[in-house]
Amino acid sequence: MSMIKIEGVHKYFGTNHVLDDVNLEIQQGEVMCVVGPSGSGKSTLLRCLNHLERITSGKIYIDNELVDHRGNDKDILKADPKKVSSLCAELGMVFQRFNLFPHKTALQNITIAPITVKKMDKTKAEANAMELLRKVGMIEKANEFPSRLSGGQQQRVAIARALAMEPKIMLFDEPTSALDPELVGEVLEVMKQLARDGMTMMVVTHEMGFAREVGTRLIFMDQGRIVEQGTPKEVFENPKNERTKEFFRSIL
């Protein structure tokens, strides 16, 4: 079952062609890892999926529903805003920076969106949040403020916060890039458990070990284009494109 479908997507920032004719489909239960050099359009692609950025042209489908159809930076087919909002809510997003509310505890950071956006009963929201904190190994930190948590702990709370909205798909934008090296493993372990649980995931990452171990498909991007894709084994061990080979030679 197709969860996300991207057709002919282009994105410009001024004259900078950040996404260049991107075509991609993500199936239910897939863990798609996206790698490539800085500035290749990886993070922009994620941001376009959940409408943090609007595409310049192309189509984006979520759950087989068209949520964006644009050409020359204008809507071709104007989708119902409520429907788009509902479909985009199926995408959970975890950023490089944790973006937790500093004046709220870990528990409060997780419950605020279900209570305010989904109108969930506070008691139920807190019960769900405690279960999510247990899932990410943070239940003993429920009443701590972000300033009392390490970077890895904050990122695990951020993952729990995204899961609190019960998304069908999780998007990760280099979730370990802002962490000290010794804290990376604890966040990756949470992501591995999500993959084992069957969560559909799209992960922009520079953690090649994670991509090789957990990914079901590997995408290599360069200059806004998908240059190569396949299973991690295929792309790591037998890349066909010269640019892919050059990239892996420089980092592995």
Side-chain angles (χ1 to χ4, degrees):
M1 179 180 174
S2 177
M3 301 297 288
I4 293 177
K5 189 175 182 180
I6 303 163
E7 293 183 352
V9 163
H10 293 260
K11 174 64 180 176
Y12 285 86
F13 290 114
T15 58
N16 188 14
H17 199 177
V18 182
L19 295 177
D20 183 1
D21 193 26
V22 174
N23 295 274
L24 193 62
E25 195 164 350
I26 305 173
Q27 303 297 323
Q28 186 175 20
E30 193 168 14
V31 179
M32 179 181 289
C33 293
V34 185
V35 303
S38 296
S40 58
K42 308 183 298 296
S43 295
T44 299
L45 179 58
L46 288 193
R47 293 175 67 83
C48 286
L49 288 178
N50 62 6
H51 273 55
L52 292 175
E53 300 283 356
R54 296 297 304 280
I55 60 176
T56 302
S57 62
K59 297 178 182 178
I60 295 177
Y61 297 83
I62 298 174
D63 230 357
N64 291 314
E65 296 277 358
L66 186 64
V67 296
D68 227 354
H69 184 191
R70 308 195 88 208
N72 298 318
D73 229 8
K74 295 180 180 178
D75 291 327
I76 293 175
L77 179 63
K78 184 72 172 177
D80 176 46
K82 288 185 178 180
K83 190 172 188 179
V84 170
S85 179
S86 175
L87 287 165
C88 286
E90 295 182 0
L91 308 180
M93 183 89 172
V94 178
F95 300 88
Q96 296 177 31
R97 295 289 174 181
F98 329 118
N99 299 325
L100 299 178
F101 292 111
H103 60 292
K104 293 187 178 295
T105 65
L107 179 66
Q108 291 167 336
N109 265 281
I110 296 168
T111 59
I112 188 169
I115 291 170
T116 57
V117 178
K118 300 184 79 172
K119 310 303 180 186
M120 187 180 291
D121 174 75
K122 183 180 178 182
T123 302
K124 182 181 179 181
E126 288 183 347
N128 288 350
M130 291 298 286
E131 176 59 24
L132 288 170
L133 283 168
R134 184 199 60 76
K135 187 171 187 174
V136 300
M138 290 290 293
I139 196 164
E140 75 283 358
K141 302 290 186 180
N143 295 312
E144 296 284 5
F145 290 93
S147 61
R148 299 287 301 273
L149 303 176
S150 70
Q153 290 172 334
Q154 289 186 58
Q155 192 62 297
R156 284 188 279 161
V157 172
I159 293 171
R161 178 181 58 184
L163 291 171
M165 293 297 285
E166 301 178 322
K168 293 182 179 180
I169 308 157
M170 285 289 286
L171 308 177
F172 292 88
D173 185 9
E174 298 196 16
T176 61
S177 64
L179 300 178
D180 291 334
E182 66 269 22
L183 302 178
V184 168
E186 63 190 60
V187 174
L188 292 181
E189 187 53 45
V190 171
M191 295 169 64
K192 289 176 185 178
Q193 186 58 54
L194 289 177
R196 289 191 288 266
D197 291 343
M199 174 64 75
T200 305
M201 297 162 64
M202 186 172 182
V203 185
V204 170
T205 184
H206 60 273
E207 299 291 341
M208 299 301 155
F210 175 87
R212 187 189 292 267
E213 178 186 350
V214 183
T216 57
R217 188 154 41 124
L218 187 68
I219 305 292
F220 175 70
M221 291 187 69
D222 186 51
Q223 295 184 344
R225 298 182 68 89
I226 294 176
V227 175
E228 190 161 351
Q229 62 177 297
T231 67
K233 183 179 177 63
E234 290 168 344
V235 179
F236 277 119
E237 297 182 10
N238 189 31
K240 296 177 174 59
N241 186 279
E242 191 56 41
R243 180 66 185 96
T244 314
K245 295 177 184 177
E246 178 188 337
F247 176 77
F248 286 136
R249 277 197 299 266
S250 70
I251 66 168
L252 296 178

